């Protein structure tokens, strides 16, 4: 594998720092290439602004259009372009972060906001002029894996736990971002109870992580329904005969 | 009302800029106080770091603990403290943003990441020593409203639309953040199809927004189940007899 590992944690001496080092070591030890975007270490700027898209601030800043123009004319900020080149080189993307307020830390959210721009990551058409997305796109043929720590214990993130089911909390990232872009998204590695981890529990988590990483090529992806697979109508709403009457995020699983 | 209006959009000449101005004008015209945190205009830093919590970088940075210590000792960054003071003055919080990758722009996510810290926004105990959250907390007695624009049309965000039901995409913000903190969270104002809005459609959206804003005091909140209301057991998992057998984010609605 050629892995791009995106990490969002401010402290290398944390559990996340330990897991990142151990996971990358396991992959390299197994003969894989690993490129790392350690967003805190890079001082990544997560804020979409006119400057990154070489937009003249005298003109109204239409975010998507300005980004597309900069991408197509080669005027993108070099930090954004560098991340796109890493994505293009990878066949596997690992996104590792601590869950903060039930989502990604801002520095990571802003990696997607700035890098996954119109013309590169969305707004694409296929060979027959059809719109592309959800199961096909610029990540087609690549695999993606989220590695997430939560402060609270696992049962709070179960199907009936008060925080909400973790798979559904991760839906905007896993379905709306990674699967939308065409990646095969693997079930996440969720390491719960991280607030009170002992070194021994950290090592146990690293064992699980190593196994999951080395199994990436043979792991069954999350069975999200494909946009152009027949389950959705032309309006991109689930056809009435598919999971009849059901609503909610779970209906997008085949 | 004393309203704190948090806005996350880089362009004042955008639909979001227009709606913010019109909404704030409507509130003030009706006799309400409005304080604004225009995160882009403020140059808000969304990245949690040791500096904002006055943490010595020679020591391991444990985010939650360092934040709590800085809060309790008065060592918080002045930008963070200023936002907490605005929250404390408000009885109503409006959170306005364009949905990017099915969540908040990074600059807004990082407002919550940095400001809603342990000891201020969570990790609180009630009068009998019980943990407080989901229906009770530092926002108890306050109301909150999300105002969200989406580029795509409304049906893509319906219960069976391919992007996922908008209420469930907003669950991390509305349930996990605002309701967790004790606020009464009102049904969101979702303005869809914003990518192709005409000025006339913008004006129609402003009419809807004004009506919703002026109705805040009399609008029925989203009926999320309260943590200490009896539906959850001591483990904070939904009791078996409540919505028996059901899972997914929808089970947390009474």
């Amino acid at each position: 594998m050629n892995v791009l590992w995106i990490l969002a944690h401010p402290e290398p001496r944390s559990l996340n720092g330990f897991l990142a080092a151990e996971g990358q070591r396991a992959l390299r030890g197994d003969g894989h290439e690993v490129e790392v975007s350690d967003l805190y270490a890079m001082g990544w700027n997560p804020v979409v602004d006119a400057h990154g898209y070489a937009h003249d601030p005298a003109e109204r800043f239409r975010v998507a259009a300005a980004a597309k123009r900069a991408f197509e004319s080669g005027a993108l900020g070099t930090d954004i372009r560098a991340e796109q080149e890493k994505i293009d080189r990878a066949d596997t993307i690992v996104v590792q972060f601590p869950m903060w307020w039930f989502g990604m830390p801002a520095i990571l959210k802003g990696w997607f906001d700035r890098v996954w721009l119109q013309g590169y990551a969305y707004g694409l058409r296929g060979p027959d002029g059809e719109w592309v997305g959800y199961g096909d796109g610029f990540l087609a043929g690549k695999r993606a894996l989220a590695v997430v720590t939560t402060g609270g214990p696992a049962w709070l993130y179960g199907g009936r736990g008060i925080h909400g089911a973790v798979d559904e909390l991760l839906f905007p990232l896993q379905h709306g971002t990674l699967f939308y872009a065409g990646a095969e998204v693997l079930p996440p590695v969720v390491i719960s109870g991280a607030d009170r981890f002992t070194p021994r529990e950290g090592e146990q988590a690293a064992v699980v992580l190593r196994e999951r990483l080395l199994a990436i090529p043979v792991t069954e992806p999350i069975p999200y329904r494909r946009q152009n697979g027949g389950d959705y109508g032309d309006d991109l709403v689930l056809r009435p005969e598919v999971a009849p009457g059901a609503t909610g995020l779970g209906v997008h699983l085949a």
Side-chain angles (χ1 to χ4, degrees), chain A:
Chain A
M1 293 185 276
N2 290 312
V3 179
L4 171 58
W5 189 301
I6 305 151
L7 170 65
H9 197 285
E11 176 55 87
R13 293 163 292 189
S14 63
L15 174 63
N16 269 280
F18 170 72
L19 293 173
E22 291 298 307
Q24 292 161 23
R25 190 202 322 249
L27 286 167
R28 292 188 177 115
D30 203 46
H32 304 289
E33 300 288 326
V34 184
E35 190 158 26
V36 178
S37 284
D38 180 340
L39 300 182
Y40 269 92
M42 293 156 62
W44 175 256
N45 164 28
V47 178
V48 166
D49 59 13
H51 177 72
Y53 299 145
H55 180 78
D56 175 1
E59 301 290 322
R60 175 172 165 186
F61 178 35
R62 296 176 188 268
V63 175
K68 184 179 185 197
R69 216 161 34 233
F71 173 67
E72 292 180 347
S73 68
L76 271 186
T78 53
D79 60 341
I80 299 174
R81 188 63 207 136
E83 296 308 299
Q84 293 179 339
E85 288 169 0
K86 292 180 194 171
I87 295 168
D88 295 343
R89 281 193 289 272
D91 53 42
T92 305
I93 297 178
V94 174
V95 183
Q96 185 196 348
F97 60 99
M99 196 177 268
W100 287 353
W101 293 111
F102 306 104
M104 292 179 272
I107 200 170
L108 177 56
K109 178 55 168 56
W111 186 86
F112 289 103
D113 288 349
R114 291 183 71 224
V115 175
W116 289 44
L117 46 80
Q118 189 181 33
Y120 173 70
Y122 71 98
L124 307 176
R125 288 179 186 269
D128 301 322
E130 79 281 14
W131 290 106
V132 158
Y134 291 114
D136 198 9
F138 82 116
L139 295 191
K142 304 184 198 261
R143 311 203 120 199
L145 174 70
V147 176
V148 182
T149 60
T150 71
W155 64 83
L156 299 183
Y157 298 88
R160 294 168 60 82
I162 196 167
H163 289 333
V166 70
D167 289 338
E168 300 202 348
L169 296 173
L170 291 173
F171 189 88
L173 170 63
Q174 297 193 142
H175 179 269
T177 307
L178 297 169
F179 181 66
Y180 178 87
E184 297 189 298
V185 184
L186 307 186
V189 178
V190 180
I191 296 155
S192 297
D195 275 355
R196 286 172 188 75
F197 258 37
T198 61
R200 187 177 154 71
E201 289 171 311
E203 182 50 52
Q204 289 167 338
V207 169
V208 172
L209 177 60
R210 282 191 287 262
E211 282 175 11
R212 287 293 315 276
L213 291 169
L214 299 183
I216 284 175
V218 297
T219 301
E220 208 56 43
I222 302 172
Y224 292 129
R225 301 179 192 278
R226 301 171 60 86
Q227 172 173 312
N228 299 326
D231 289 344
Y232 299 95
D234 289 342
D235 56 359
L236 299 182
V237 174
L238 215 52
R239 293 184 191 279
E241 65 272 22
V242 177
T247 59
L249 302 184
V251 300
H252 302 290
L253 289 165

